[in-house]
Amino acid sequence: MTTHRLLLVVVFAITSYVPIQGQPPSTGQQTNDDAQGPEIKFGVHPGVRFLTPTSAEIRWETTLAGDAAVAYGPTRKLGTIIHSDQSGTSHRVVINDMVPGQDYWYRFGSTRNGKRSFSPIYQLEGGMNYTPPVLELDANPVGADMAIAHLRQLGGYAVVIGDVDPEWGQAIAAKTSMTVVMAVDDAEAIQSIRQKWYADENYGIRVTAQFRSDLPKAFANLVVAPSDQIEQAAEFLSPLGQLIQLGNPEKVDGYQWNTVAKGVSFGQRATEPDLAEWGHQYGSVGNASYSGEMLGGVDDTADLRVKWIGRPGADFGIDRNPRMPAPLAVGGRLFHQGMNRMIALDAFNGAVLWSLEIPDLRRVNIPRDSANWCADQSHVYAAVKDRLWVIDAASGEMQRTLLLPEAYQTNSEWGYVAVTKHRVVGTAMKQGSSYSGFWDKAAWYDDKDDAATSKVTGNVIVGYDKEYGSIQWQRAADAIVHSTITIAGDHIYFVEVDDPSLQDAPSGKLMNSQIWHAASIVCISLETGQQIWKSKTPPQDHEGIISFGFADQDQFVLQTSGKEQFHFVSLDAQTGTERWQRSMDWPETHHGAHVQHAVLMNGKIFVQPHILDAADGSVLKTGTLGKRRGCATPIGAGNSIIYRGGTGPLTLWSLDDESPSEFTRLRPSCWLSTIPAQGMLFSPEGGGGCSCGGWMETSIGFEPVVQMGAGK
């Protein structure tokens, strides 16, 4: 029987040598005698796509045609060789004998004109293979295939109401990667289903039966129910979930239906809920560190409850210190980065949808750079070396790549990336400019010297057509400071350095002395790239530890830091004229207190321990926002500021009551790993490796217990 169950779970995954956590990175280079020869030059880096828990597809592309092979094994001695059937530049092999959870080592070899070339050795971490077990089930109810074809994603959870033939549950499990729960009211019926599936050796991870009363509300991606129970069954449906109705179709208010077969209708909400999105490093392209998510108005941890708990754990990521990119939450999905890898979870139930292992993905010290990814409803956009990968958000399939402008393709890498309604915006930076070191004290990036504070810059900013990927405009520059790039409305703002000598600099990492003497704030059109205004930056006679940009429809604000103060300057969005300036004292000189990214929320600017009026920069309050403990930049959630406080855990500071509440054993990362979006608060694991102990080291999604409203 032909099935589709797992082949779409992880559609395109790329892997590299990953050092064991707690040890410094290795080069991954083979040292055996048979490794001698020139190194393979990849056109597209090697990729591993997990097909099942025991099989994986490896793909790669070389720049020159020729015979090729993969050698692999459970140690660096490798031992097994699989030859590619192709002799061109594109190659594909499948490994079918993997032991679940086993790590494997592999490398590539090719022959052209009698000369052999080799790649470094890479490691494939079997523990990161989240594909579920394969079920070979023969059940195929009428209309099942046509209904399943309408699913927005193949992963997650499905609930099948007990009055429905269990064959529907079997079919969904076989043709998707969902966990299927038969929701049953009768004890004898539930026992019968369990016994049958247990005897078939299928009961457990993929198919299970539970009492309907024990199931949580609003968690399922798919609900299957008889027509006369469809309205009650919808209570299990997540905000973006879908329905299959069996029998004579019933009209249910708020849902739209499509008949796919006789007696089978497929439905979904007529209007999708308006869910706040965290699609970029600081929420949106405006860098406000606030997504508009108010968590139903709650401002106390007691009013948030666990919606789901699970993957990934600490082994997924890098040590908490190096300040990695923030998670993203868009379109009912949560995306999280780890050690040269990314994972997609269902936002409302925590189910793993897909995970990718990507060499050269790693980017750290984000306070001095920009994140290497962003997302919208349908795609994740990830900067990997000289290309931007456009990844299907539902399946993890890399659908295409965007190239840098031709003049930058041979000596540059992709830097900044953002996505708007019609544009993808990116920069090209000199090769090797981004930070990737994560080992030893220097990789904490908490110091105040240039070694840790040099800003990553690009040489050109480019606007792409989002639909077709074509370049619409580009603006070259001597240097563009990534951490200041901000988009609001039709405007793009950034700090630009006018110094032709920087064109000969070996790296895009620039010290403060290379930036501020010739720096201006520039505003260009998002649609055309044309300059709207350009204003000289105010003198920056301090250390320049950080430089951030954030904006709303009225202004662009440049935030810098040095000499034990935060410094803000506001420029008018339309003219570039100065509106106000303000400097405020740091709360401390270490553990991230001096590198906070301010929160722009509800007409105010929050930077611990101060609150400013965003309109004129006046000080509304100081000595507030709670006592910090340890690194982590604050974020806004409407009625609260979320930070690491008290004894060190994740903390909410109520703006109404001016009091903190804590999740006692939940530790965020040293920069930004907890985000409010999609009606929830997400805290994917980011605290692994912390020596201050006692942390849970797991991923959790919280939901508000009550909807309190903006005014409580």
Side-chain angles (χ1 to χ4, degrees), residues 617-641:
S618 60
V619 180
L620 299 176
K621 193 170 292 187
T622 192
T624 184
L625 301 178
K627 173 65 177 174
R628 298 180 72 260
R629 185 188 184 279
C631 305
T633 191
I635 55 172
N639 284 347
S640 65
I641 294 294

Side-chain angles (χ1 to χ4, degrees), residues 287-355:
N287 298 335
S289 288
Y290 173 56
S291 66
E293 178 58 65
M294 298 189 65
L295 297 176
V298 305
D299 58 1
D300 192 302
T301 57
D303 295 321
L304 293 167
R305 63 187 170 197
V306 174
K307 178 76 169 179
W308 57 262
I309 183 168
R311 289 171 169 158
D315 56 349
F316 181 83
I318 303 176
D319 195 350
R320 83 288 180 201
N321 272 350
R323 304 171 197 254
M324 292 184 63
L328 310 172
V330 185
R333 304 179 183 105
L334 171 66
F335 308 100
H336 185 45
Q337 275 195 51
M339 171 69 88
N340 295 336
R341 57 174 61 100
M342 64 174 68
I343 193 171
L345 309 175
D346 187 90
F348 307 114
N349 55 47
V352 175
L353 303 178
W354 49 264
S355 61

Side-chain angles (χ1 to χ4, degrees), residues 144-286:
D145 286 344
M146 290 174 283
I148 290 171
H150 286 76
L151 290 174
R152 66 185 299 269
Q153 66 189 36
L154 294 181
Y157 284 85
V159 172
V160 179
I161 301 303
D163 293 347
V164 172
D165 190 326
E167 286 191 351
W168 271 93
Q170 295 174 289
I172 293 168
K175 298 171 184 297
T176 74
S177 58
M178 289 185 178
T179 294
V180 178
V181 182
M182 292 293 299
V184 182
D185 295 319
D186 180 77
E188 289 186 8
I190 198 171
Q191 189 67 7
S192 175
I193 294 170
R194 288 175 175 175
Q195 288 177 344
K196 180 184 184 306
W197 284 347
Y198 188 80
D200 294 338
E201 298 183 351
N202 291 320
Y203 188 78
I205 296 175
R206 297 301 315 285
V207 292
T208 183
Q210 305 292 333
F211 285 107
R212 189 194 306 211
S213 59
D214 290 340
L215 297 183
K217 304 297 187 288
F219 83 101
N221 304 96
L222 175 65
V223 174
V224 184
S227 297
D228 59 356
Q229 299 183 50
I230 197 70
E231 191 164 3
Q232 298 88 341
E235 69 179 0
F236 299 118
L237 206 62
S238 73
L240 298 176
Q242 297 169 301
L243 291 163
I244 296 176
Q245 181 180 177
L246 304 179
N248 295 325
E250 293 282 338
K251 184 177 181 181
V252 181
D253 290 342
Y255 291 86
Q256 59 184 15
W257 298 93
N258 177 28
T259 300
V260 297
K262 185 177 181 180
V264 181
S265 298
F266 190 89
Q268 55 193 19
R269 289 180 173 88
T271 303
E272 288 191 354
D274 186 14
L275 300 172
E277 299 178 348
W278 197 285
H280 292 76
Q281 172 65 30
Y282 302 109
S284 70
V285 289

Side-chain angles (χ1 to χ4, degrees), residues 124-143:
L124 170 61
E125 294 200 50
M128 299 297 110
N129 181 355
Y130 297 112
T131 54
V134 177
L135 293 190
E136 294 289 351
L137 300 175
D138 295 327
N140 195 26
V142 174

